[in-house]
Amino acid sequence: MKLYGFPGSPNTWKVLALAQHAGVPIELVLVDLTKGDQRQPAYLALNPTGRTPALVDGDFVLWESTAILQYVA
Ligand SMILES: N[C@@H](CCC(=O)N[C@@H](CS)C(=O)NCC(=O)O)C(=O)O
C-alpha cells in the first residue's frame, strides 16, 4: 500500500501512526503541500479534492483520512 501525503499534516500522520501501531506496511509518497503538489494533475487523478492523504492499494484508491483509517484497521 502507498499513502500519498504530507508528513506535517495530521490527516497523513494519523494514518501512518495507525499503520505503524497495527504493523501494516505503508510506503509514504510525498505530496509536498508547500509546493502545491496536491493541485498537480497526477495527484488530482487520485484525489479530485486536492487534499491529502490518499491511499493506493493495487487498483484501489481511497481518500478521506477517516475512511483510510477504517480500511487500514
Ligand atoms: N476531510 C479530509 C481533509 C483533508 C485535508 O484537509 N488535508 C489537508 C492537510 S491536513 C490538505 O491536504 N490541505 C491542502 C490544501 O487544502 O490545499 C480528510 O480527512 O482527509
Side-chain angles (χ1 to χ4, degrees):
M1 279 191 283
K2 293 183 178 179
L3 187 72
Y4 288 72
F6 185 68
S9 150
N11 288 315
T12 291
W13 192 250
K14 66 188 182 187
V15 175
L16 294 176
L18 172 64
Q20 183 171 16
H21 181 73
V24 176
I26 289 190
E27 175 189 345
L28 177 66
V29 180
L30 178 64
V31 179
D32 192 337
L33 300 182
T34 69
K35 295 181 177 169
D37 290 354
Q38 73 276 26
R39 291 187 291 275
Q40 296 303 310
Y43 185 71
L44 291 172
L46 291 177
N47 183 349
T49 71
R51 294 189 170 187
T52 55
L55 183 85
V56 176
D57 187 11
D59 293 335
F60 182 65
V61 180
L62 185 63
W63 29 279
E64 282 298 325
S65 59
T66 302
I68 295 171
L69 287 176
Q70 291 180 320
Y71 184 79
V72 170

